[in-house]
């Protein structure tokens, strides 16, 4: 979606940035989780641009029956796996939602609240969750949308609020960002561009996907050579 705008910006030496994320639902990431990050690292090298990586530990607290402490622990452990991909440390900002949303007057929170005024519960239920859900879940899409706008990161972009974002992500995240793109003009922001990846197959076959909840479907980054051999 709108990748041509990003390429035009690059050719015209205009600024843009990358945004991707990880929902930390397990102690370690598996090789399927690596696909967007390997691709994002390549994009950062090719375009030489800033990158923000959101760890949605707040989402996993809401959906996965985790304590906030356990969700935050998973986020820290997953961050180690992400850092190991080798991103440019001078142009990469990795943050935990549970950390970063602590300041109610932060630019990130202000942007999130602006987005929230454009979402309604019916739209979110129909467009994302297909069912009724409680307030915390209804408010989460605005949190995932906020990093799509440079206004959330004045410390990175010197207060500039018109820098376009490119989001490499797995295809299941597209509903969130379609809604984000719809909201963008209403809050005076450029629509984020998107690049999707398909799911990495599970060990059980090509029509499945690796899942952190099924250890036998996945090869985790913390598996030993013996465990990997046994699984294969």
């Amino acid at each position: 979606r709108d990748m041509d705008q990003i390429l035009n910006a690059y050719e015209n030496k205009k600024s843009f940035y990358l945004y991707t994320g990880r929902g930390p639902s397990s102690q370690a990431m598996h090789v399927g989780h690596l696909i967007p990050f390997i691709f994002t690292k390549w994009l950062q090298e090719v375009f030489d641009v800033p990158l923000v990586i959101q760890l949605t530990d707040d989402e996993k607290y809401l959906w996965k029956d985790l304590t906030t402490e356990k969700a935050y622990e998973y986020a820290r452990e997953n961050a180690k796996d992400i850092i190991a991909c080798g991103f440019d440390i001078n142009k990469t900002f990795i943050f935990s939602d549970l950390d970063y949303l602590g300041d109610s007057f932060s630019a990130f929170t202000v942007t999130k609240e602006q987005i929230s005024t454009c979402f309604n519960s019916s739209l979110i239920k129909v467009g994302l969750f297909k069912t009724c859900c409680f307030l915390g879940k209804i408010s989460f899409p605005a949190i995932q949308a906020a990093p799509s706008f440079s206004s959330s990161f004045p410390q990175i972009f010197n207060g500039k609020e018109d820098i376009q974002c490119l989001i490499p992500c797995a295809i299941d995240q597209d509903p969130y960002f379609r809604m984000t793109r719809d909201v963008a003009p209403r809050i005076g922001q450029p629509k984020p561009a998107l690049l999707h990846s398909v799911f990495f197959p599970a060990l059980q076959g090509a029509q499945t996907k690796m899942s952190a909840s099924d250890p036998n479907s996945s090869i985790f980054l913390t598996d030993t050579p013996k465990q990997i051999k046994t699984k294969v």
Side-chain angles (χ1 to χ4, degrees), residues 22-24 55-64 97-98 137 140 144 173 176:
R22 160 74 183 139
L55 300 174
T56 57
D57 40 14
D58 55 338
E59 176 200 20
K60 296 309 173 186
Y61 164 70
L62 293 171
W63 263 272
K64 294 294 185 179
D97 281 348
L98 290 175
K137 292 183 178 181
F140 176 74
Q144 181 161 325
Q173 300 303 301
Y176 284 97

Side-chain angles (χ1 to χ4, degrees), residues 194-221:
L194 291 165
L195 283 172
H196 300 115
S197 65
V198 298
F199 290 127
F200 196 74
L203 297 174
Q204 282 72 21
Q207 302 307 313
T208 59
K209 76 179 184 74
M210 288 195 176
S211 171
S213 60
D214 182 2
N216 292 320
S217 75
S218 307
I219 295 175
F220 289 89
L221 304 187

Side-chain angles (χ1 to χ4, degrees), residues 74-144:
Y74 284 173
R76 289 181 62 86
E77 291 303 312
N78 285 192
K80 296 175 185 178
D81 293 337
I82 293 168
I83 289 168
C85 290
F87 294 104
D88 185 338
I89 62 173
N90 296 312
K91 294 187 176 182
T92 303
F93 177 51
I94 305 175
F95 66 97
S96 146
D97 281 348
L98 290 175
D99 269 342
Y100 203 58
L101 288 167
D103 182 357
S104 61
F105 295 103
S106 70
F108 185 95
T109 303
V110 170
T111 302
K112 185 260 294 183
E113 293 302 329
Q114 289 177 329
I115 297 167
S116 296
T117 63
C118 301
F119 284 163
N120 64 63
S121 59
S122 297
L123 178 64
I124 290 172
K125 288 175 189 175
V126 172
L128 285 175
F129 304 138
K130 315 301 182 188
T131 185
C132 294
C133 51
F134 60 82
L135 183 59
K137 292 183 178 181
I138 289 175
S139 67
F140 176 74
I143 297 173
Q144 181 161 325

Side-chain angles (χ1 to χ4, degrees), residues 1-6 164-167 171 173-175 177-179 181-182 191-196:
R1 301 181 189 276
D2 285 343
M3 186 60 191
D4 58 318
Q5 293 181 10
I6 295 295
Q164 191 172 15
C165 175
L166 171 61
I167 306 173
I171 188 64
Q173 300 303 301
D174 188 52
F177 296 120
R178 286 205 311 270
M179 296 179 72
R181 284 167 53 83
D182 289 342
K191 291 183 178 183
L194 291 165
L195 283 172
H196 300 115

Side-chain angles (χ1 to χ4, degrees), residues 146-158:
S148 307
F149 306 117
S150 60
S151 58
S152 295
F153 307 104
Q155 76 278 25
I156 298 175
F157 301 110
N158 298 316

